[in-house]
Amino acid sequence: MDYNKLTPDLWLPTSVKEMKALGWESVDVVLFTGDAYVDHPSFAAAVIGRTLQAAGYKVAIVPQPNWRDDLRDFKKFGVPRLFFGISAGAMDSMVNHYTANRRKRSDDAYTPDGRAGMRPDYPTIVYSKILRDLYPNAPIVGGGIEASLRRFSHYDYWQDRLRPSIIADAQVDMILYGMGEKSILELARRLDAGEHIKEIKDLRQSVILLPKDEMPVQEDADNIILSSYEQCRHQKPLQAANFKHIEQQSNRMNGGATLWQITGDKVVKANPMYPAMTQGEIDAAFDLPYTRLPHPRYKGKRIPAYEMIRHSINMHRGCFGGCAFCTISAHQGKFIASRSKESILKEAKQVTQMPDFKGYISDLGGPSANMYAMGGKDKSICAKCLRPSCLHPKPCPNLDTNHKPLLDIYHAVDAMPEVKKSFIGSGVRYDLSMHPTGDKKIDAINQQYNRELITDHVSGRLKVAPEHTSDAVLKVMRKPSFQLFHKFNDFFNQVNRECGLKQQLIPYFISSHPGSTEEAMAELAAETKDLNFHLEQVQDFTPTPMTVATEIFYTGVHPYTGEKIYTATRPEEKLAQRKYFFWYDKTYRQDIIGSLRKMHREDLIRRLFASCPPHTEHHPQKPADRSANKDHNGKGSRSHHSGKPGRRGK
C-alpha cells in the first residue's frame, strides 16, 4: 500500500457524507463499537466490517456513539437493509472502566488521546436499548468480547451478583459469540436471502432467546441442559457445574453440543462453536485491504492502543494453555488457527512501508507467542478430548511442540532488508518451549528457539508469566510449578552471560487468585527477593465472566472437583495479599512485619528484611493501585494482564 496516496474513501464510512462520497444512498449493515475506528486487523470493528465488505455488502461504522445527547449518532444512517451490529469493543467495558478495587479509571486506551468516558458501562445493553426504542422492528445483533463471555448466567464482580445471560438484558435478537467472521457472514447471507432473523435458530456460534417449550425434553449427545439461572442464583454449586459444561463444549474440536439454560419464562440457546479456522480462512481475514491506520477523523489525536500494535503482527489465534484466569479459549477456542508464512510476510512488508517505520517490528506474536502452527499429532484423539488445557497438569503426549515453523517465520522476517530487528512482545509459554519431548531433534530445535528468543528478539526485557510461586496456587491456576521458572531464569542468565548481554527477565504475578493465601503471598515475596526481583508486572485478581477462577471466586468450589477453595473476596483480604508485592517499599514494611508475626513466620521476616527488627506499632497502609489490569485483545489476550491491544477477539 502506498501510504502517500491514502484517501478517505479507503476507510469504511463513519458519516453520511463519507457514505455519499462512495456513491451509496444507504447501507446494508451499521456497526456500533465502543472503540475508536482503527482500520487494522487487531480491531474487531475493522475486521468484521472488512469481512462483510469483501462479500459485497455496504458497511458503515459508528465508533463510540454519543448515548447521552439527542442520539444523532444512532439515527444518522437510518435503518440498514440487513441489521445493526453492536460491540462494546476490544475490551470488556467494566475492565476498561474499573480497577480491581472497583475504582474508576482515568483513561481509555481505545479512545483518541486516551480520554475516559466515551463509552457507557455495558454498551451492548445501552446501545441496543437506544436502537430498539428508535427502530422497534430492525434486526439487532450483539457480539464482541463483552457479550460473548456473558452468553450464560455469570457472576458480575462490579455489581457483586449473578446476572442472567446478556441476551435476557440486552434488546438484541441474537448474540454472535467468539471470533465473528464466519458467523457474521453467514447471518448476512441468510438475511439477504430473505430469512427473518427470528427464523434463524441454528446458526453456529449464535445465542438466541426462545420460548421454553422449544427446549428438548431431555439431554442427548447433541444437547446439554444447564441448570436454570434461577437455580444457580439459589445454589451456587450449580453455577460451578454449569461452567464445566460450558468450558468443555467451547473447547471441543468440532464445536461440541448445543447448550440450553432456562432464564425466567424463556430459554437461552447457544449453538456450537465453529471449528478453528483453516489456514486459508484466517489468511483471508488478515489479507483484507486494511489501511492499518486510524480513521482520518482522528487526525492529530493519539490512540494509545493503536500505538502499541501499529508495527506488530499477529500470527495465529487460539490458545491451548487453559489458564484458570484467562478467557482466550472461551472466545477464540483451544485449537490454533495459524496464518501461512506468505500471509505473515505480506503483512510484514506492509509494516515496513509505513511512513513511521524505523526498522523494528514490535511483536511477532499471538495470544501465546510460541503456539504458532502447533496442535495434536493425532487429530482423532483431539476430536474426543475434553481437557481444558493441553499443558496442565503436564503437556499432553499427543501435542506437537515443534518450534521449527516459528523459527522459520522469525528468520524470514529478519531476512527482509527493511527489518533491523523483530521483537516478541506477546507472552511466551516457557513450559511449552522447555518441555522435554523425548525426541532429541525437536528438543534441540526448541532449545534453539529459547536461545534465539533471548539473543535476537528481546528488547532488553523479556516478559513471562509464572503467576505465583506456590505449587498449590499454581495447580488452581493451571500453571506449571515455579521450579520450571527457576530453570528458565537460569537458562536466560546463562545465555546473557555467554553473549555479553544485560537483559532483564520480567515475571508477571497475580495476588488474591483463588487458592492464594496471605502466607502464600509472603512466601512469594521471599522467593522473588531471593531471585533479586523487584516486581513490576503485578496485579490483583479481577473476576471476569467465564473463567474457572471467577467461578471459584463466586461459588467457593472448583467446577471440576467440587472441592472448596479459599479465596480472598473482601477488599481487606485482597489488600493484605497485594502488599507483599511491594515488600521493598518502606511504606508497607511495618504492616508486613506485623502480619508475619501474627502468622508466626519470623523466618520470612528475616528473609525479607535481613534481621528481625524490634517490635513496633504498625498501621496498615492501603497499597497504591499499581495493577496492570487492562485487557487489550489484539491478538487474543489474557483477561487479567496488560497486553497487546486487540488480543481479546472480535
Side-chain angles (χ1 to χ4, degrees):
M1 178 175 291
D2 187 345
Y3 285 88
N4 295 315
K5 296 181 180 180
L6 292 176
T7 56
D9 62 347
L10 294 178
W11 281 263
L12 298 172
T14 65
S15 68
V16 173
K17 180 180 178 181
E18 293 167 25
M19 177 186 75
K20 290 187 177 295
L22 295 172
W24 304 351
E25 289 302 318
S26 61
V27 295
D28 299 319
V29 179
V30 180
L31 301 177
F32 290 85
T33 174
D35 294 338
Y37 169 31
V38 179
D39 193 44
H40 187 283
S42 287
F43 287 76
V47 175
I48 296 302
R50 291 293 189 185
T51 297
L52 289 166
Q53 179 193 48
Y57 297 107
K58 297 175 182 177
V59 184
I61 294 179
V62 182
Q64 300 188 314
N66 190 334
W67 74 99
R68 299 185 181 100
D69 61 4
D70 59 4
L71 308 181
R72 68 185 68 182
D73 285 341
F74 293 89
K75 300 174 184 175
K76 60 185 177 183
F77 288 108
V79 180
R81 186 172 67 89
L82 296 178
F83 62 89
F84 289 110
I86 293 173
S87 170
M91 233 177 133
D92 186 297
S93 70
M94 304 308 284
V95 177
N96 180 285
H97 288 171
Y98 302 97
T99 69
N101 292 327
R102 299 187 178 96
R103 292 177 184 156
K104 201 76 180 267
R105 296 189 189 276
S106 59
D107 60 355
D108 182 340
Y110 290 86
T111 299
D113 292 333
R115 181 181 172 188
M118 294 298 288
R119 77 185 89 206
D121 290 354
Y122 311 109
T124 306
I125 295 173
V126 175
Y127 294 169
S128 64
K129 183 181 186 307
I130 292 171
L131 288 171
R132 185 61 74 208
D133 288 344
L134 291 172
Y135 311 110
N137 300 315
I140 304 174
V141 180
I145 187 78
E146 183 166 277
S148 179
L149 300 182
R150 288 169 169 79
R151 56 189 186 261
F152 295 105
S153 61
H154 57 278
Y155 172 66
D156 188 296
Y157 173 68
W158 298 273
Q159 295 185 348
D160 192 24
R161 69 182 179 95
L162 193 72
R163 293 186 63 149
S165 166
I166 194 170
I167 201 167
D169 287 332
Q171 297 186 39
V172 298
D173 297 292
M174 180 182 290
I175 295 289
L176 299 181
Y177 71 91
M179 307 300 275
E181 294 100 325
K182 295 176 76 170
S183 54
I184 201 82
L185 197 54
E186 179 64 16
L187 175 64
R189 286 170 175 162
R190 292 177 67 168
L191 292 174
D192 199 17
E195 287 189 67
H196 192 279
I197 195 164
K198 295 296 186 184
E199 299 171 348
I200 301 174
K201 301 178 182 180
D202 59 350
L203 176 63
R204 280 204 173 215
Q205 266 177 238
S206 70
V207 180
I208 54 177
L209 199 59
L210 297 171
K212 279 197 289 191
D213 60 11
E214 295 196 31
M215 186 178 76
V217 176
Q218 59 185 20
E219 292 188 357
D220 56 33
D222 298 319
N223 294 277
I224 295 175
I225 300 174
L226 303 174
S227 296
S228 72
Y229 165 61
E230 288 74 19
Q231 288 174 319
C232 293
R233 283 183 62 195
H234 294 101
Q235 300 180 62
K236 289 183 178 181
L238 295 179
Q239 172 68 16
N242 275 2
F243 176 81
K244 179 180 177 180
H245 289 300
I246 295 166
E247 182 177 53
Q248 287 181 333
Q249 297 309 310
S250 297
N251 285 330
R252 295 293 295 273
M253 184 175 184
N254 294 310
T258 298
L259 299 176
W260 304 79
Q261 185 181 35
I262 291 174
T263 301
D265 61 354
K266 302 282 188 180
V267 64
V268 175
K269 180 189 182 187
N271 290 303
M273 291 185 81
Y274 283 100
M277 280 182 157
T278 64
Q279 186 174 88
E281 288 171 337
I282 193 169
D283 279 358
F286 278 88
D287 292 348
L288 293 167
Y290 305 101
T291 63
R292 297 185 61 86
L293 296 169
H295 189 275
R297 66 189 284 153
Y298 306 120
K299 186 176 182 180
K301 296 182 179 180
R302 175 178 174 271
I303 300 173
Y306 169 68
E307 297 297 321
M308 289 178 67
I309 52 83
R310 63 190 306 163
H311 298 144
S312 72
I313 298 170
N314 180 20
M315 304 197 298
H316 65 276
R317 288 183 185 165
C319 180
F320 50 74
C323 297
F325 45 81
C326 184
T327 59
I328 294 173
S329 65
H331 194 69
Q332 297 192 11
K334 182 175 75 171
F335 294 91
I336 306 301
S338 297
R339 298 169 64 185
S340 68
K341 183 177 180 179
E342 292 72 23
S343 176
I344 293 168
L345 291 177
K346 178 182 176 182
E347 186 176 359
K349 185 67 176 177
Q350 287 181 305
V351 172
T352 65
Q353 293 173 344
M354 296 177 72
D356 62 343
F357 183 70
K358 306 298 183 184
Y360 301 97
I361 291 179
S362 61
D363 187 18
L364 285 173
S368 289
N370 57 324
M371 289 186 183
Y372 177 79
M374 292 186 186
K377 302 169 191 172
D378 184 341
K379 297 298 190 288
S380 67
I381 295 175
C382 296
K384 300 172 186 176
C385 181
L386 292 177
R387 278 181 60 171
S389 171
C390 301
L391 296 178
H392 188 269
K394 59 182 179 180
C396 175
N398 187 48
L399 179 63
D400 180 3
T401 65
N402 189 350
H403 284 63
K404 187 177 187 305
L406 192 53
L407 283 172
D408 288 345
I409 297 290
Y410 292 177
H411 297 162
V413 171
D414 288 347
M416 296 174 70
E418 305 91 343
V419 175
K420 297 177 182 177
K421 200 173 184 71
S422 62
F423 299 112
I424 313 305
S426 309
V428 172
R429 290 296 299 248
Y430 56 82
D431 52 337
L432 184 60
S433 60
M434 295 186 69
H435 171 63
T437 65
D439 183 319
K440 292 183 179 179
K441 183 177 179 181
I442 292 178
D443 287 349
I445 290 170
N446 292 356
Q447 179 149 356
Q448 179 189 352
Y449 170 83
N450 285 328
R451 180 173 288 274
E452 289 192 19
L453 170 70
I454 296 166
T455 58
D456 300 339
H457 301 287
V458 175
S459 180
R461 295 151 67 95
L462 176 62
K463 297 176 182 179
V464 294
E467 310 296 7
H468 214 285
T469 58
S470 162
D471 282 349
V473 180
L474 289 166
K475 181 181 178 182
V476 179
M477 289 179 161
R478 294 177 179 161
K479 295 287 287 187
S481 169
F482 194 65
Q483 293 306 309
L484 191 60
F485 174 80
H486 279 281
K487 292 181 180 178
F488 186 75
N489 185 46
D490 290 344
F491 181 77
F492 181 87
N493 291 332
Q494 175 189 330
V495 171
N496 272 271
R497 285 193 301 271
E498 291 173 355
C499 299
L501 301 172
K502 294 182 179 179
Q503 300 179 137
Q504 289 180 290
L505 193 61
I506 307 297
Y508 283 110
F509 290 97
I510 300 177
S511 63
S512 302
H513 189 279
S516 178
T517 62
E518 185 177 350
E519 187 170 6
M521 287 300 299
E523 290 173 344
L524 181 154
E527 184 143 10
T528 54
K529 186 213 174 187
D530 291 346
L531 289 168
N532 201 30
F533 286 115
H534 280 205
L535 303 182
E536 300 174 20
Q537 300 294 342
V538 300
Q539 70 182 87
D540 192 28
F541 170 68
T542 305
T544 55
M546 207 168 284
T547 69
V548 178
T550 296
E551 299 303 326
I552 297 172
F553 181 95
Y554 172 65
T555 68
V557 299
H558 196 291
Y560 283 77
T561 66
E563 172 192 1
K564 290 184 178 180
I565 295 179
Y566 168 76
T567 305
T569 58
R570 293 181 291 117
E572 55 269 29
E573 292 176 312
K574 294 166 75 69
L575 290 172
Q577 291 199 27
R578 185 175 167 73
K579 67 191 177 190
Y580 290 98
F581 283 142
F582 311 114
W583 61 268
Y584 51 84
D585 188 330
K586 292 180 180 179
T587 305
Y588 310 120
R589 178 168 175 159
Q590 291 304 320
D591 189 17
I592 288 173
I593 290 172
S595 296
L596 291 175
R597 282 203 170 109
K598 289 178 182 177
M599 287 186 272
H600 306 291
R601 293 302 305 266
E602 282 76 7
D603 60 314
L604 292 179
I605 296 175
R606 288 189 292 273
R607 284 177 69 184
L608 288 172
F609 304 113
S611 62
C612 185
H615 182 72
T616 57
E617 291 295 323
H618 66 280
H619 302 281
Q621 300 288 326
K622 194 173 188 179
D625 178 24
R626 306 183 194 181
S627 70
N629 187 24
K630 293 186 180 180
D631 176 19
H632 305 316
N633 173 350
K635 304 171 187 172
S637 158
R638 320 168 19 134
S639 293
H640 305 290
H641 280 324
S642 62
K644 294 282 177 181
R647 296 236 169 121
R648 290 290 196 240
K650 315 242 177 340

